[in-house]
Structure formats: C-alpha cells, structure tokens
Amino acid sequence: MINIFFSLLYSNVGTRLNNFVLFFFRIAVSLELIFAHGLKKIGVGTELAEVVPNPLGLNEVFNQVFATGANLVMPIFIIAGFMTRLAALPILAVTMTGYFIVHFNDPILVKDTPLMYSLCFLLICFTGAGKYSIDHYIISKRKK
C-alpha cells in the first residue's frame, strides 16, 4: 500500500528543461485558477462571494466548500508540488463538471475556459510535479 502512495509522488519528465517547464507551467496555471476563479468564490474582488452552480444536486454547503477548495487550496498544493496528482483531482472534478454539465449546450466561446483548465490539470495529473517539487524531495529522501 505504501508503494502505491509513493508511486503517486514519483515523476520523471526527463531533462532539466522539461522539469523547469513543468515547474513554470504548474505555477502559472494554478495562479491563474486562484486569481481568476478562486478568489471570487470567497468574495475577493467582488461585492459578494460567487455562488457556485450545483448541477449534481449536492448539499449546497458541501458544493460551495468543495468548489472553493478546488479553486483556492488545491492549486497551492500543485504550486508547491505536494501530492500533485491527488490535488489535481478535485480541480478536474470542478472543471469537467463545468464543461460537460454546466456549459455543455453553451457556445464554444463560453465553455472553452473549463475545457482549457481541464486539459491543463489533466496534463499535470498525468505527468506529476516533476523534479522541482516537494513530491520529488520526498521520493529522493525515501530512496536513500
């Protein structure tokens, strides 16, 4: 079981350049998610906090807390490269729900935002954090 956990942390994208690009990419995408979508869910930059759509009929408080956590807390984990693959899952749940359910019948100009976030965080979920991350540090300490 512990080996499965550590295999989720491991990520090798090859060269130093690839690792640096992945480092920059995960920081840029996560910061954009926080500033463009996360902060308005707690009322920063707006008069009132954004009410998150609830197309799945979940408990309203759970739905709001889950979406806020996915847009504010999980990107911080991804920026740090800590539990990166697991942190991407709640973000993907929110963005894919936005794309496939909330905006399914909308024009592409409306639904392109959740699609692009979904693709970005799918890439991060599949590749992991790379060498410049807490995940890599944990793995390298375990191997010693």
Side-chain angles (χ1 to χ4, degrees):
M1 183 67 172
I2 196 79
N3 289 335
I4 293 172
F5 171 75
F6 282 110
S7 68
L8 287 173
L9 299 180
Y10 179 74
S11 177
N12 182 2
V13 291
T15 67
R16 290 173 72 187
L17 178 62
N18 288 351
N19 282 298
F20 178 75
V21 169
L22 183 57
F23 174 69
F24 175 78
F25 179 75
R26 69 172 209 265
I27 290 173
V29 171
S30 295
L31 286 174
E32 182 64 23
L33 182 63
I34 290 169
F35 289 121
H37 299 280
L39 292 178
K40 65 183 178 181
K41 287 185 176 46
I42 59 171
V44 175
T46 61
E47 289 185 28
L48 295 172
E50 178 183 57
V51 176
V52 178
N54 190 358
L56 302 176
L58 303 171
N59 176 285
E60 289 296 329
V61 173
F62 174 78
N63 186 64
Q64 189 74 27
V65 169
F66 186 83
T68 302
N71 285 272
L72 279 174
V73 178
M74 295 301 125
I76 294 170
F77 279 67
I78 291 174
I79 288 168
F82 180 64
M83 304 294 291
T84 307
R85 287 185 168 113
L86 294 175
L89 296 178
I91 297 170
L92 287 168
V94 170
T95 60
M96 290 180 140
T97 300
Y99 182 74
F100 287 110
I101 298 174
V102 176
H103 297 293
F104 185 73
N105 292 318
D106 291 343
I108 192 68
L109 293 177
V110 174
K111 63 183 178 180
D112 71 329
T113 301
L115 174 64
M116 295 312 294
Y117 278 116
S118 295
L119 293 174
C120 290
F121 285 101
L122 272 171
L123 176 68
I124 291 169
C125 186
F126 286 128
T127 61
K131 186 175 180 180
Y132 306 117
S133 66
I134 294 173
D135 290 348
H136 184 268
Y137 177 78
I138 292 169
I139 289 293
S140 65
K141 288 296 180 188
R142 182 172 188 260
K143 288 182 180 180
K144 290 182 180 179

